[in-house]
Amino acid sequence: VNCAALPETLLESELFGYKKGAFTDARRDKPGRFRQANGGTILLDEIGDMSKGTQVKLLRVLEQKEFEPLGSTKTERVDVRIIAATNRDLMGMMHRREFREDLFFRINVIRLNIPPLRERREDIPLLIDHFMERINLKQSKQIKKVSPSALKTILDYDFPGNVRELENIIEHAMILTKGIEIQSGNLPAYLSRDMAERPSQDSVVAGRNLAVLEEVERDLIARALDRHGGSTAAAAKELGIHRSTLWRKIKRYGIATR
């Protein structure tokens, strides 16, 4: 559930559900996400944008494992694991009284700080493959790869918008791509402008980084294939990529298969 995408009243009904007649258009009962996630897990994205009122109700679910749907006087009990994500400084918000202190410490059990994409550029080629597969299905396309020059442009970029920005860049490029390969000209123009404004030394370093990344990726694929006796299905599963993606990379890097 994206907590920033819905106003407070809609978010509350989305999380906790409502009963028939709770408001004008409530013509039937609707179970909320917590009821649907009973015995499982719910991801609350952008929890830092949740209103104070909804924070109170969330705290009750966490502490007492119970809530009332909108328009209901009957308490419902659930057992749900909560994963919360945010790009905001919750501790700073807590000190400014913008986020409830009791809720902060209740959700702050195991904390994972995800580095920005610019600090884990080795993930970019894998993410590109993932987005290409998904967007190919969505747009009924058969785009199979990114040209070396386009990949270099992407790897050189700092991604202030992180993974979401990368996904938007790939979707933009795939909409404009006519063949099976994304070219530099298919990428958003601001990427090229960003590169043009940098010192030339950055391009040299980025080129070296690209070569290193490709060598690391080739080695990972070769080792996975070796561990699984040349089985592309097993290697693809270990690497977390689709089998067709693995075949493209085997061909690209000229890896010998059994």
Side-chain angles (χ1 to χ4, degrees):
V1 181
N2 188 330
C3 300
L6 298 170
E8 180 178 1
T9 53
L10 290 180
L11 178 61
E12 184 176 346
S13 66
E14 183 73 14
L15 292 175
F16 307 114
Y18 56 79
K19 293 297 182 180
K20 180 180 178 181
F23 47 87
T24 304
D25 293 326
R27 297 185 176 88
R28 57 181 178 81
D29 293 354
K30 178 187 175 183
R33 295 295 184 93
F34 274 100
R35 169 53 57 200
Q36 293 174 322
N38 189 29
T41 303
I42 187 168
L43 168 62
L44 301 178
D45 196 13
E46 306 294 358
I47 195 173
D49 292 282
M50 182 179 285
S51 70
K52 286 285 192 70
T54 309
Q55 287 178 34
V56 173
K57 294 180 173 64
L58 175 60
L59 182 63
R60 182 185 176 193
V61 176
L62 282 166
E63 292 187 335
Q64 303 175 20
K65 298 186 177 182
E66 61 183 33
F67 66 93
E68 284 98 29
L70 288 173
S72 174
T73 57
K74 183 180 178 181
T75 298
E76 296 189 15
R77 294 188 61 82
V78 290
D79 182 13
V80 177
R81 175 176 57 186
I82 292 178
I83 300 174
T86 184
N87 62 356
R88 303 183 67 178
D89 177 14
L90 289 187
M91 187 168 287
M93 292 177 66
M94 179 186 69
H95 292 319
R96 296 191 301 271
R97 299 185 181 279
E98 296 171 359
F99 196 87
R100 290 184 62 94
E101 182 176 353
D102 46 8
L103 178 59
F104 173 82
F105 288 114
R106 190 65 185 81
I107 63 175
N108 193 35
V109 178
I110 297 177
R111 186 173 182 174
L112 302 176
N113 291 313
I114 308 300
L117 194 54
R118 63 180 175 272
E119 293 180 9
R120 48 189 176 101
R121 296 182 190 272
E122 66 277 7
D123 287 351
I124 293 176
L126 296 173
L127 286 166
I128 289 174
D129 285 335
H130 169 69
F131 293 138
M132 284 176 62
E133 287 179 10
R134 194 162 73 182
I135 297 168
N136 269 328
L137 290 174
K138 177 181 174 183
Q139 298 181 0
S140 298
K141 291 197 169 189
Q142 294 294 325
I143 298 171
K144 301 185 180 300
K145 56 184 177 178
V146 179
S147 72
S149 61
L151 181 59
K152 179 180 180 301
T153 299
I154 294 171
L155 287 169
D156 282 350
Y157 186 60
D158 278 343
F159 291 99
N162 286 305
V163 175
R164 286 175 182 165
E165 184 177 15
L166 174 60
E167 182 177 11
N168 289 339
I169 287 170
I170 298 304
E171 184 167 10
H172 172 104
M174 291 180 69
I175 289 172
L176 298 180
T177 298
K178 302 301 181 184
I180 63 169
E181 182 178 70
I182 294 174
Q183 304 292 333
S184 296
N186 303 132
L187 298 173
Y190 71 85
L191 295 184
S192 298
R193 287 198 299 270
D194 181 78
M195 295 305 103
E197 292 170 1
R198 294 188 180 191
S200 58
Q201 183 61 28
D202 282 4
S203 298
V204 176
V205 173
R208 291 173 183 166
N209 288 342
L210 176 59
V212 171
L213 286 171
E214 289 179 339
E215 183 61 31
V216 169
E217 186 176 50
R218 185 189 187 285
D219 186 60
L220 285 172
I221 292 171
R223 288 173 180 270
L225 287 168
D226 185 61
R227 279 193 295 272
H228 296 286
S231 170
T232 54
K237 185 176 181 180
E238 178 188 323
L239 294 168
I241 60 177
H242 195 274
R243 192 176 180 182
S244 62
T245 301
L246 179 59
W247 273 113
R248 289 201 303 270
K249 293 182 180 296
I250 290 172
K251 184 177 179 181
R252 175 183 173 187
Y253 294 128
I255 299 173
T257 56
R258 298 180 186 179

